[in-house]
Structure formats: structure tokens, C-alpha cells
Amino acid sequence: MDPYEVLGIRPNAGRDEIELAYKGRRSQYHPDRYAQSDAETQAWATSKMQEVNQAYRVLNESQTRADFDQRATSARSGSRPPPVPEPQPSAEVGAPDVASILLKPEWEWFHDNVYARPKIPRKKLEGAISSYALSVSPRDVLVLLDDTLFGGAKEGLLVTGDAIYCKQKFDAPRRMLLRDIRLVVSGSGSRIMINGSEFFKFAVIDQVAINLFASRLATALTSSSPPDDRASGKANRANANSGAERLLAIHRRALHAMRSDLGEEALLIDRLIDRQMPCIAEQYLELKRVVENFPAPKRGSVEMDVIEISLTAFLMLHYYGFSKIPEGLKESVGDSFTRLHKVSEVYKEEFLAATSLEFGRECGFDEESLQMMPAVFFHSDGAAGGFDLKIPRKDALLLVLSQMGISEQSARRIIRQFEGHTETWLEALCASEMDSGERAEYERARTRHTTKPEPPPQKPPMRRATLREALQGLRFNAEPFERVFVAPNIPLKKLNGALDSYGEGLEPKEVIALIDNTLFGGAADGVLITESEIRTKAPFEPSNTRLWSTVSEVAADGKYVYIEGRRFAELNMPDQRDVRQLFGALNRHLQGVADQR
């Protein structure tokens, strides 16, 4: 077996290309896809899947890949192809130090549903691997967390020597290489946070066990590194983890002081800040690189400079989140809106005080820049009292973040996170802080903002129904998995997966409908529909976009979607009845718009 031929990739393929090819072959041959086929077909699919897994295990490890390449080179002059080497356990090849630390004899794993090698029950190990880690050999698994009620281990989390795998109920499996992890901590609500974002939320395992696991994994990552990057990678990861942890320690100290100062007058902003700051900590290494590019630290400490940039980035994004609150809602809460700035300023001052305490000297922060953040980003575009930036505030924010060394893709993701956190906070604030009268006024203001005023009865305009209205109320109940969604019933994880894959430039609120055409529900391939356009992406293909203003007819026939009689998308995973229903409603809307023209 030639692993390159099995996966259909070049001999010099990079790691990303290997990952994409493996996902594609896994989707093509996964036995679940042929569950309704005859026994012969099922056996064929199982055999092909085993070949794909074997090829991936060979190419995923640098040492086994190098061994195969060397044998292939030496055998080119012979008549037989070289045998595929048996891949060694990733715990031994990828990062042996991680295994030695996680499996230290003095570290006893005694919590319920948490197991470490060699005491992992065989049935649990098989259940976890078959559910969400098909490419993993049982001997690779170091630690297993079974998050199922009855012990089948189909949901949960496992760690090998080079990666961490997980699966939550009703979600697609996830995998992250250990070398890509800069920060791992336990979060509130039984969560594991990796690089500032939620990686897994437990339903069964208790919080104490989660805290212990996160702490030990963080220690293992800080203390070890892969052999091919031992010189620089170990220092970088250790510095990134320690620096981000130091930033979060200052944040927690400031948050505690803020809560002591304000109590209930904090307006739940303490909760908002506690969700937002880890998003900045995730970018610690990128921010540190920018500081290190300067000839010398401004105050003799690189880390203190990184803390300053982190606070500046946080304040910009934090106040930008407030700027997205609709003007009508600002008017309904009255003085409470101006208090938001005062509460946030308390956190800023406590953060500066905590930083001085942490480094043992007075802060040299650029106070003028810190004062400018709320003035520039607190108000919305065009609002009275706000700065006229000549360009939209979001564009200005993207520009500043790029100058800080944060990539555009990361910056857009962080902005979406801050906007989402602010929206969640506002709902919680309204539910907890307003009396019945204020709540009623808030609801009226929100209604005025989200609905258009009725036209004067004496001059009824020729109003065209929006696409959102045309699709409102559609329901899809395809078995066994729902793949077609209409706002507001689009799952957030699927929406984020689609936007990250082929929704560049789109805001989550713009998406009216989503079709998930992936096997495991990650929504990286499929269809996105907004009021102005339709986008599609197929596996290993670039995305394709059509503006509705150029479309007069759309139809779905079998697994294909046609625009103006030309094939636009191929959808293999959704139920064809759901697809026909959605595009039938779309076509009726387009015909109605054409008639009104």
C-alpha cells in the first residue's frame, strides 16, 4: 500500500493537505454512509476505511513518514514496492515528554470517568476511538475522559502524545494538535478552554476532575515539546503559556477588585469582561512577536509591553461591543448606558493596579491612548457625541488589530466573539436589572429597532417582501440528522463553522439559511443564504457566490441545485425533501420580486 496513493496526494504534500485529504477520504468511505447498503458494500467500505486510517497514521507522524519515504527511494530500482512501516504510538513518536508527565506514577487519576493508561477499560477505549478518533491506535491513548451517562464513552475527550480529540453529544468530532495549543485552562460551567475558546463542555464529569485534568495537561504542554522543534518550540510554548497565564492572573485580580468595589452596581459587566479577556489571551504569542520586533522594550520588559498592548486591544474591542447596541435600546435604558463606561473604567484602573503589583513597579502605560479607546469606539457610527472616523468603526478596528500583529481572519473572529458576548450580556442585564416598567420600555424600543414602521394608510407603498420573511416559519425534520436550517434556528457552532470556511466578510446576523453538507456536522461545506447573495462550497473546492439581483430562477432536483438552469451546488448529505422545500420557497420569492418589477 502506498499511503500517498490511498489519500490521493503528492509525495511532498504538507500537513494541511494531508489533513484535508484524510477528511475527504473518511467522508467518502465511512461505513456509516453505507449503513443501508448490502453486506458486500459495507465490507468494501470498512476495508477502504481501514486503508485510509492506516495511510493517515503513516503520514501523520514525521518519523514513520520519513521511514516510508526512505524505503520508497531505495526500492525504486527494484520490482516490489516498499512495505508500509507499522506506525509507532504517537505518544512515543510525537511528543514522549507529554506521556512521561501525564503518566507520572505520583499523578493518580482517581476521579470517576477519568482514566489513564494502562488502566483505561478496553470497551471504553474502543467506544471512544470508533466515535471520534478513528485514526488513533488504542496504544496511543494516554488519558480518556468518558462523558456519557451509561459509560459507553461515545462522547468525551481523549489525549494522545500529539493531539487532543473530543466529541460532544449531537456535535461533530474535534481534534487539535498539541503543538498548536498555547493555553489550556478549565472554565466555568464544566468547560475546557483552549487558546481562549471553548473546546469541550462536559455534561457528566464533575468540575474538580475537570480542573485537575486541565492543570495537568497545561503542565505537560509547558514542560515538553515535539522532538523536531525542541530547541525553539519548547521555549515559545512555555513563554506563551506562562505569559498568557500571567495576563489572565492580572485579569482575575482586577476582576475580583472590581467586584469588591462595585458589587451589584457592576451591571453584570464583570461577567462580560470575564468572557472577553481570554479571547485576547489567545493572541498573546502574536502580540509578543510585535513587541520583540521593536529595537528595545519601552520600559525594559517585553512582557509588560505585551500586557499593555493586550489591555489596549481589549478596551478597543470591549467598547466596540457597546457601540453595537441599537440607539433605540440606548434611549430606553437612559442613564444606565452611560454607566457602562464608568464600570468598565473601574476594571481598567484595577487592571493597571494589578499590573503594577505583578511587576513590582509603576505602570508606564500610555494613558492618553487608553483614554482614547472609549471615546473612539464607545459610540456607533454617526452617533451624536462620537468621533467621526470617516470609515466604519469595524474597518478601523480591523486596521488597528492588524498593526498589532493579529491576522485579519483572527481579528474578524475575535470581533464576532466580542459582539456575541455583548449581545448575550445585554439580554442577561435586561432580565436581571430592569423592573417591569423598564423592561416593557426596553421591549418596545427593541421592537421599534427590529421592525419597520407601518406605512401611512393614505399612501400604501409597493412593498416587496424580504427573503427572510419568505423563509420565515419553514421547518425541517429530516432523519436521522437535520441539515437544513433557517434563522433564527441556525445552530451557532454550525454557523461559525460555515462562516470561517466560506463566509468571509459576512456577519452572523446576515445569514438567513444554512445547509450543512458535511458528514460530521461541522458545516464547513454547504450553502449559505443571505438577503443579497447565495454562497456554496464543496469539499476541496473554492467557494462560489451569486447575487440574488442577477438571479430570476432557482430549483432543486435530486442532490443538485440549479440557478438559471445551470448546476450551482451538489448536496449529498441533506434530505432532498428539505432541500426542495427551501429552494421552492426561494424560487417563489424570486418570482414574486420579478412580478413586482
Side-chain angles (χ1 to χ4, degrees):
M1 181 191 69
D2 183 342
Y4 297 106
E5 183 178 345
V6 170
L7 295 182
I9 56 177
R10 304 168 298 160
N12 62 342
R15 184 173 294 273
D16 290 342
E17 188 175 342
I18 294 172
E19 289 289 334
L20 286 173
Y22 170 66
K23 291 178 181 178
R25 289 290 191 265
R26 183 179 63 185
S27 174
Q28 182 179 0
Y29 296 122
H30 197 286
D32 289 351
R33 189 170 186 176
Y34 302 91
Q36 305 302 320
S37 302
D38 56 74
E40 183 179 354
T41 301
Q42 293 180 19
W44 167 82
T46 301
S47 174
K48 296 295 289 185
M49 192 70 236
Q50 290 172 346
E51 287 185 9
V52 169
N53 288 338
Q54 173 77 351
Y56 177 74
R57 284 198 291 267
V58 170
L59 299 183
N60 191 46
E61 300 293 347
S62 57
Q63 186 59 53
T64 55
R65 182 179 182 181
D67 290 344
F68 174 82
D69 290 343
Q70 183 177 5
R71 298 187 186 201
T73 301
S74 61
R76 279 173 188 159
S77 59
S79 58
R80 291 185 178 183
V84 176
E86 176 68 20
Q88 298 298 315
S90 61
E92 299 175 8
V93 175
D97 290 341
V98 174
S100 65
I101 294 171
L102 283 178
L103 303 179
K104 288 195 299 186
E106 60 268 29
W107 276 8
E108 196 173 341
W109 298 83
F110 53 83
H111 288 89
D112 291 342
N113 293 6
V114 180
Y115 308 92
R117 196 175 73 186
K119 298 180 179 180
I120 305 176
R122 181 178 61 83
K123 287 189 176 181
K124 291 181 181 289
L125 191 58
E126 293 173 352
I129 290 176
S130 65
S131 176
Y132 59 91
L134 288 171
S135 65
V136 171
S137 171
R139 60 184 177 179
D140 291 1
V141 180
L142 305 178
V143 178
L144 171 67
L145 285 73
D146 176 9
D147 198 44
T148 60
L149 186 60
F150 298 106
K154 293 290 186 179
E155 290 88 40
L157 181 149
L158 65 82
V159 180
T160 69
D162 63 353
I164 180 170
Y165 300 75
C166 73
K167 183 183 185 302
Q168 293 180 190
K169 198 172 185 63
F170 306 122
D171 285 349
R174 297 185 64 186
R175 169 181 178 267
M176 178 172 285
L177 296 177
L178 297 185
R179 69 165 184 268
D180 295 331
I181 298 178
R182 298 185 295 276
L183 176 67
V184 56
V185 296
S186 59
S188 60
S190 303
R191 297 178 298 164
I192 289 290
M193 309 293 293
I194 293 182
N195 297 341
S197 300
E198 179 181 313
F199 182 74
F200 189 84
K201 184 174 182 180
F202 291 92
V204 176
I205 299 178
D206 65 62
Q207 186 68 51
V208 176
I210 297 168
N211 294 343
L212 179 66
F213 168 74
S215 174
R216 289 181 174 181
L217 181 59
T219 301
L221 293 174
T222 304
S223 306
S224 62
S225 65
D228 59 351
D229 195 25
R230 193 163 286 159
S232 60
K234 181 175 181 179
N236 286 341
R237 183 178 291 112
N239 290 338
N241 274 282
S242 62
E245 282 287 2
R246 199 170 190 180
L247 170 62
L248 291 177
I250 293 172
H251 155 71
R252 288 189 290 267
R253 192 178 300 163
L255 201 63
H256 177 73
M258 171 189 174
R259 286 167 172 164
S260 299
D261 291 343
L262 298 177
E264 294 184 357
E265 294 182 1
L267 300 175
L268 303 184
I269 292 179
D270 54 331
R271 298 184 188 179
L272 172 64
I273 292 173
D274 201 25
R275 290 187 174 189
Q276 292 176 334
M277 183 55 86
C279 301
I280 301 298
E282 181 184 354
Q283 304 299 320
Y284 186 90
L285 190 58
E286 284 73 18
L287 297 174
K288 185 172 183 288
R289 291 195 186 103
V290 174
V291 172
E292 290 174 335
N293 285 333
F294 285 98
K298 290 185 289 184
R299 284 171 294 283
S301 170
V302 170
E303 196 162 357
M304 200 167 184
D305 287 348
V306 180
I307 298 294
E308 174 182 349
I309 292 180
S310 299
L311 178 61
T312 303
F314 165 78
L315 291 174
M316 287 190 300
L317 288 154
H318 176 70
Y319 283 119
Y320 170 79
F322 288 146
S323 76
K324 305 303 289 183
I325 299 176
E327 292 297 325
L329 303 187
K330 295 177 185 177
E331 296 173 2
S332 70
V333 298
D335 294 340
S336 294
F337 181 71
T338 59
R339 288 168 56 197
L340 305 182
H341 171 246
K342 297 177 182 178
V343 173
S344 300
E345 284 296 294
V346 172
Y347 171 78
K348 184 192 78 174
E349 296 301 324
E350 295 294 354
F351 188 97
L352 295 175
T355 303
S356 297
L357 184 64
E358 176 73 17
F359 288 92
R361 62 177 183 272
E362 288 298 319
C363 291
F365 286 79
D366 185 351
E367 186 63 27
E368 183 177 352
S369 296
L370 295 181
Q371 291 291 347
M372 285 290 291
M373 294 306 104
V376 172
F377 291 102
F378 189 60
H379 296 283
S380 57
D381 294 333
F387 275 74
D388 183 8
L389 300 182
K390 306 301 182 184
I391 62 173
R393 273 165 171 72
K394 184 174 181 178
D395 293 344
L397 187 56
L398 286 169
L399 179 62
V400 176
L401 292 175
S402 68
Q403 293 174 343
M404 289 183 170
I406 299 176
S407 68
E408 181 178 354
Q409 183 177 4
S410 296
R412 290 185 182 277
R413 184 183 70 253
I414 296 172
I415 290 173
R416 286 202 301 268
Q417 290 174 332
F418 271 69
E419 290 174 341
H421 291 324
T422 304
E423 184 176 349
T424 302
W425 159 81
L426 182 59
E427 289 294 325
L429 177 67
C430 293
S432 63
E433 295 290 325
M434 292 182 175
D435 58 32
S436 58
E438 291 173 328
R439 179 71 184 183
E441 177 59 28
Y442 163 76
E443 292 293 347
R444 285 194 292 271
R446 185 170 69 169
T447 301
R448 289 196 300 269
H449 175 75
T450 56
T451 60
K452 296 182 179 180
E454 293 185 4
Q458 66 275 17
K459 292 182 179 180
M462 292 294 294
R463 181 180 177 276
R464 294 175 181 172
T466 65
L467 184 54
R468 187 181 297 272
E469 292 169 339
L471 302 184
Q472 191 172 10
L474 291 181
R475 294 290 182 268
F476 309 97
N477 297 297
E479 296 293 343
F481 301 110
E482 190 174 355
R483 302 281 183 175
V484 182
F485 307 91
V486 170
N489 300 314
I490 303 177
L492 183 58
K493 286 189 176 181
K494 289 181 181 287
L495 181 57
N496 287 336
L499 290 174
D500 289 342
S501 176
Y502 62 103
E504 182 70 23
L506 293 181
E507 299 290 340
K509 61 185 178 182
E510 295 180 70
V511 179
I512 299 172
L514 180 149
I515 301 177
D516 176 9
N517 194 42
T518 61
L519 178 63
F520 295 108
D525 303 314
V527 172
L528 280 174
I529 296 172
T530 72
E531 198 72 52
S532 60
E533 64 185 59
I534 177 173
R535 297 188 186 188
T536 185
K537 185 183 181 304
F540 314 113
E541 297 289 340
S543 61
N544 187 15
T545 303
R546 286 291 301 269
L547 299 177
W548 288 124
S549 59
T550 67
V551 176
S552 61
E553 182 182 47
V554 62
D557 184 11
K559 63 180 181 180
Y560 298 111
V561 175
Y562 298 89
I563 291 181
E564 308 290 358
R566 294 179 176 271
R567 186 182 297 176
F568 178 73
E570 179 179 352
L571 303 173
N572 298 305
M573 302 308 300
D575 188 280
Q576 294 179 10
R577 294 167 298 178
D578 288 348
V579 176
R580 283 198 303 270
Q581 182 188 176
L582 175 66
F583 282 95
L586 282 169
N587 193 58
R588 288 192 294 272
H589 171 75
L590 293 175
Q591 299 303 316
V593 171
D595 291 341
Q596 289 184 2
R597 289 174 183 166

